[in-house]
Amino acid sequence: ASNVAPLIHLCQKLVGVVGLEIHAQISSNSKLFSGSPVCFSAPPNSQVSFFDASLPGTLPVLNRRCVEAAVMTGLALNCTINKKSLFDRKHYFYADLPAGYQITQQRRPVAVDGVLTYSFLGGKKRSQVVRKHVQIKQIQLEQDSGKSLHDDVHSQTLIDLNRAGVGLMELVMEPDMSCGEEAAAAVRELQLILQALGTCQGNMSEGQLRVDANVSVHRPGEPLGVRTEVKNINSIRYLARAIDYEIQRQIGVMQRGGTVHNETRAYDSKSGETIPMRDKEGLQDYRFMPEPNLPPLIVFEDNATLPPGVDSSQVVVVQKIKEGLPELPSVKREHLVQAYGILPEHSFTLVNEEGLMEYFEEVMKATRKEPRKVIGWVMNELLGQLKQQDMSVSQSPISPAALAELLELQETGRVSSSGAKQVFQVMWGSSGKTAEQVIQEQDLGLVSDATQLHNICQKVVDSHPTEVHAIRNGNAKVLNKLMGLVQRELRGKADPVLVMEILKQKTRGGGC
Amino acid sequence: MSAFRLTGLCSCRGVSLKVIESSCNLSRNRRGCLQRPLLNGTRLFSSHSLNSKVPRVPTWEQIPEEQLPPPAVVPADLVDKLERLALVDFRTKEGLACLEKAIRFADQLHLVDTSGVEPMDSVLEDRALYLRNDTETEGDSAEELLKLAKNTVEEYFVAPPGNIPLPKREERTAMLKHSEF
């Protein structure tokens, strides 16, 4: 019996445990503690005030917009908003941190204990919406550091302080995730939420949303393993790959009997591997201390709790922000399902793909085709092509209006459904051509001329008496053979519905 | 030792307050007025008529050692760590002894009964935190700021390739032997 336990232990697979630390750059006109502008790609050091450069005698002055952004984000993520939160200094030396410390909220952040609900398409065919939750430990306000450009040729680092002092929201997620796909889906949902709120533009490649992953492995039920921190992840795709690589690497180490070291690793997108970063002489001690220049930040629950005679520009009221929250992605998805009767997985994809929902709604406005059929075109033909060529919806050579026109032509019988797909492919390759143009050029228009159809059907019926006899005797399947012959006569351009009707009529017996 | 210094400072402040109140020409920022009474050596501006809260006689009492917690010892590796993290230099054994004496002096605070009192971490705790409007009001100071640096490259500040590790204690001692400090 005592031999069995270790065997069971080994039989249990090692699984990954993933927690995320996300820094979201607040979308505001000016910085967190100074009036310098916030703008991407400005000339170096052109957006730096004396405070940002840490000149002695300067003091931080808090930007109200940043507080509102943090409260809004906290509310959207179901957090408890701390009515009183505090600012601290986190000390470390680096050339892009001129003060030698970063003002952050370590002791009591502005929002705590939230939850992010995210989904991804799972199941065998990746068509099932799988819903998961991740706990948000806290959201805190903090300063961004400047940018360092490493010049190895001259053995120096060039420092640009434009970004120094820009407001960040640090979101700490509990290690509730287990693989790269979950982490990627969670970050995508967060990105959509932040973009819907307008608190952060969420562009990972521009550094507006930075994600660091804490990865460890263990056997379920056992204590968590040693974790490593993975940095330098510039897109959601790389996030999933980096995490999955790191989980496999750690499992490999454990299986070989080694130990995982608590270290920081950088993701190298070229090789797809994580590489240890320069050693950080043991555990960093940031010597946190309260920020002496800033009193506690108080936010008020509602207008009733406001102190009398206070200036409205000097207070942040949670109730007011709650009332002003825009429609969140999860609500948007529900509305699409309700409004159009489409499946949840389609609604998920519509909201998830940048611009796809707007595209779909534009098409719906211009066609009478039913939503579920339009969805088929949007998901399969349109999205399929876009994915294959790694293009975004905005780059689609076929505009919503053009697609709507094609769908209308199919609805009215101008072209068959297989013909329509052909037209789509041609339109994709030759930008600007309308569906009608392509139909004419390629001669894909369906023949619906009744006389012509009748004549051809008659010809086929007359020349195939055996088949007609079989049909009259009850073998309806033979109709398809006759249909095929008619189509061959018309080079596939017969309107199948009409032809079938005519053939049925003619083979019913009793003369023509 | 410091008890007398403390009282001396207090009375000095009491004096300077009187000076400010009685003379409208002095601006608040001028610290020069603090110096004058000391140099004169006379207590011209003694403050009994103004109901000063400063005790006339020192009220400081020497606290017996037994009432205090055991003295804090600063081990060598903590000294090294602090020197690395805060870039301070304790220099010699005397420097370390000075630190330990300062800690001992602060230990007297342990005798104060703070039960039921929230810790204060800022004297600003009762003030309202001022919230600024989100407008661009500054930041166009590139020229002035870059002028402050000895070394710039195309509008960038120049720094060494990474953090330069703090020289080891022995190396530092050797470096300082030849310096003027």
Side-chain angles (χ1 to χ4, degrees):
Chain A
S2 58
N3 294 335
V4 180
L7 282 175
I8 292 176
H9 163 88
L10 286 172
C11 283
Q12 273 210 304
K13 278 171 68 183
L14 284 164
V15 295
V17 176
V18 182
L20 298 177
E21 266 170 36
I22 299 174
H23 290 89
Q25 215 175 62
I26 299 176
S27 179
S28 61
N29 298 325
S30 57
K31 295 184 179 178
L32 182 60
F33 291 118
S34 71
S36 310
V38 176
C39 180
F40 186 70
S41 276
N45 290 306
S46 64
Q47 301 184 324
V48 187
S49 69
F50 292 168
F51 170 77
D52 303 327
S54 283
L55 297 194
T58 55
L59 292 171
V61 186
L62 184 55
N63 180 342
R64 191 182 65 249
R65 156 69 183 159
C66 294
V67 181
E68 291 167 349
V71 171
M72 218 190 299
T73 307
L75 289 171
L77 294 172
N78 304 294
C79 294
T80 305
I81 306 294
N82 281 333
K83 300 295 182 301
K84 177 173 165 181
S85 60
L86 307 167
F87 288 101
D88 303 301
R89 289 186 182 180
K90 178 178 177 182
H91 300 81
Y92 64 93
F93 292 116
Y94 205 66
D96 63 17
L97 195 71
Y101 61 85
Q102 174 198 37
I103 301 180
T104 175
Q105 290 188 305
Q106 190 248 1
R107 283 170 298 157
R108 190 116 50 95
V110 65
V112 292
D113 295 338
V115 67
L116 170 67
T117 304
Y118 64 97
S119 326
F120 55 91
L121 292 178
K124 282 200 197 122
K125 293 190 206 157
R126 294 209 160 272
S127 60
Q128 228 183 340
V129 179
V130 180
R131 283 181 68 160
K132 296 236 167 187
H133 308 278
V134 59
Q135 301 295 322
I136 308 273
K137 178 156 177 264
Q138 63 192 57
I139 301 178
Q140 64 200 53
L141 282 168
E142 59 181 37
Q143 290 176 303
D144 205 347
S145 65
K147 262 207 196 131
S148 314
L149 294 169
H150 298 287
D151 178 3
D152 295 320
V153 174
H154 299 102
S155 198
Q156 63 190 12
T157 302
L158 302 179
I159 305 292
D160 174 12
L161 296 177
N162 282 349
R163 202 184 66 180
V166 171
L168 292 177
M169 291 181 288
E170 178 173 336
L171 289 101
V172 182
M173 293 187 183
E174 299 283 14
D176 295 340
M177 293 165 282
S178 62
C179 63
E181 181 176 31
E182 288 181 2
V187 172
R188 178 66 185 133
E189 185 67 12
L190 179 66
Q191 213 179 26
L192 289 170
I193 291 174
L194 292 173
Q195 286 167 345
L197 293 173
T199 52
C200 171
Q201 289 166 318
N203 191 328
M204 276 181 84
S205 56
E206 284 181 15
Q208 290 162 345
L209 191 67
R210 285 167 242 160
V211 182
D212 298 331
N214 292 318
V215 183
S216 68
V217 297
H218 77 147
R219 294 197 164 81
E222 290 186 12
L224 295 179
V226 175
R227 68 163 199 247
T228 63
E229 194 183 356
V230 183
K231 287 171 134 28
N232 194 40
I233 299 165
N234 303 325
S235 77
I236 293 187
R237 210 181 303 179
Y238 291 158
L239 176 67
R241 286 188 205 161
I243 288 172
D244 288 336
Y245 172 85
E246 182 58 19
I247 290 174
Q248 289 311 307
R249 185 194 75 84
Q250 288 191 15
I251 289 177
V253 166
M254 300 281 283
Q255 281 175 342
R256 285 191 296 273
T259 43
V260 176
H261 298 296
N262 172 249
E263 58 183 349
T264 305
R265 298 177 75 91
Y267 178 66
D268 175 23
S269 51
K270 287 202 193 89
S271 62
E273 301 179 343
T274 60
I275 307 163
M277 278 173 85
R278 208 150 24 124
D279 199 18
K280 267 191 187 178
E281 323 117 34
L283 223 53
Q284 263 280 35
D285 184 342
Y286 295 110
R287 294 181 301 134
F288 285 98
M289 71 174 246
E291 169 55 61
N293 294 322
L294 292 170
L297 170 62
I298 313 286
V299 297
F300 298 94
E301 178 60 48
D302 50 36
N303 286 324
T305 53
L306 287 178
V310 72
D311 189 342
S312 64
S313 73
Q314 283 304 306
V315 289
V316 172
V317 181
V318 177
Q319 186 63 29
K320 185 159 165 229
I321 294 177
K322 207 183 281 189
E323 283 161 11
L325 284 177
E327 188 182 67
L328 293 179
S330 54
V331 177
K332 224 179 272 193
R333 286 184 201 115
E334 257 309 298
H335 280 176
L336 284 172
V337 171
Q338 300 296 331
Y340 297 107
I342 55 178
L343 294 172
E345 55 258 33
H346 294 148
S347 162
F348 176 80
T349 307
L350 281 182
V351 173
N352 213 41
E353 287 298 325
E354 178 80 45
L356 195 61
M357 184 187 78
E358 289 77 9
Y359 190 104
F360 170 72
E361 295 195 297
E362 276 291 309
V363 173
M364 284 308 302
K365 271 191 234 169
T367 178
R368 287 167 294 168
K369 210 174 184 53
E370 64 171 47
R372 288 202 176 205
K373 292 202 178 146
V374 176
I375 275 286
W377 276 90
V378 168
M379 292 290 148
N380 303 326
E381 268 61 48
L382 178 74
L383 198 59
Q385 277 286 358
L386 289 171
K387 288 290 173 200
Q388 217 180 48
Q389 299 176 354
D390 202 19
M391 290 161 71
S392 66
V393 175
S394 56
Q395 296 171 302
S396 163
I398 301 179
S399 70
L403 178 59
E405 193 201 322
L406 173 60
L407 296 179
E408 274 300 286
L409 289 172
Q410 193 212 337
E411 274 292 286
T412 54
R414 176 83 176 93
V415 64
S416 69
S417 55
S418 53
K421 292 199 170 94
Q422 272 182 278
V423 174
F424 185 91
Q425 292 303 323
V426 176
M427 281 168 77
W428 190 275
S430 47
S431 70
K433 286 217 178 111
T434 64
E436 183 56 51
Q437 277 177 314
V438 174
I439 288 172
Q440 284 181 11
E441 283 170 20
Q442 305 273 320
D443 196 21
L444 286 166
L446 284 177
V447 175
S448 329
D449 177 7
T451 331
Q452 194 186 2
L453 284 177
H454 267 273
N455 290 342
I456 295 179
C457 285
Q458 191 64 64
K459 207 172 90 183
V460 167
V461 163
D462 289 343
S463 52
H464 293 83
T466 352
E467 282 79 2
V468 173
H469 189 74
I471 290 165
R472 284 197 184 141
N473 278 350
N475 190 351
K477 278 194 203 162
V478 185
L479 271 168
N480 291 334
K481 183 176 173 188
L482 292 182
M483 163 85 96
L485 293 168
V486 172
Q487 287 284 18
R488 216 190 311 156
E489 278 288 326
L490 288 167
R491 284 173 293 124
K493 292 192 296 122
D495 184 344
V497 176
L498 275 175
V499 168
M500 189 51 95
E501 267 311 301
I502 298 171
L503 283 174
K504 275 191 190 152
Q505 233 178 37
K506 293 194 187 296
T507 54
R508 210 168 289 145
C512 19
Chain B
M1 30 132 206
S2 45
F4 301 110
R5 239 189 283 144
L6 210 66
T7 322
L9 268 169
C10 284
S11 59
C12 191
R13 220 183 295 135
V15 169
S16 67
L17 269 172
K18 174 116 210 274
V19 170
I20 285 166
E21 278 163 15
S22 65
S23 163
C24 349
N25 288 335
L26 284 171
S27 75
R28 276 181 196 279
N29 292 333
R30 276 188 57 190
R31 304 285 216 93
C33 50
L34 269 169
Q35 303 296 336
R36 279 194 1 229
L38 277 176
L39 286 174
N40 282 349
T42 55
R43 296 176 63 83
L44 280 177
F45 302 102
S46 172
S47 47
H48 15 242
S49 54
L50 282 181
N51 190 26
S52 168
K53 303 298 180 286
V54 177
R56 307 274 252 105
V57 175
T59 57
W60 198 270
E61 273 170 22
Q62 198 67 18
I63 308 288
E65 280 284 320
E66 311 84 64
Q67 288 191 359
L68 294 173
V73 173
V74 185
D77 56 339
L78 180 59
V79 170
D80 286 339
K81 187 180 176 193
L82 286 171
E83 290 186 334
R84 187 170 40 85
L85 289 178
L87 296 183
V88 293
D89 193 348
F90 293 104
R91 278 316 150 80
T92 54
K93 276 212 180 71
E94 279 78 25
L96 194 54
C98 185
L99 172 67
E100 288 178 338
K101 282 206 201 108
I103 297 174
R104 198 75 186 125
F105 179 64
D107 278 340
Q108 295 175 78
L109 291 170
H110 283 285
L111 298 174
V112 180
D113 180 14
T114 56
S115 44
V117 180
E118 275 294 302
M120 170 195 270
D121 45 52
S122 167
V123 293
L124 302 171
E125 66 180 14
D126 289 330
R127 286 197 172 207
L129 176 53
Y130 179 80
L131 295 173
R132 185 173 53 82
N133 285 332
D134 186 27
T135 48
E136 295 172 21
T137 55
E138 54 186 344
D140 194 15
S141 319
E143 228 187 284
E144 281 180 87
L145 290 172
L146 288 165
K147 248 192 265 181
L148 296 171
K150 199 162 53 169
N151 224 4
T152 60
V153 167
E154 281 177 41
E155 325 257 86
Y156 286 94
F157 293 103
V158 180
N163 279 349
I164 300 173
L166 196 64
K168 291 212 175 62
R169 175 165 283 283
E170 308 79 57
E171 294 165 349
R172 271 185 281 157
T173 323
M175 279 165 66
L176 290 167
K177 242 191 210 164
H178 305 290
S179 90
E180 41 203 71
F181 294 107

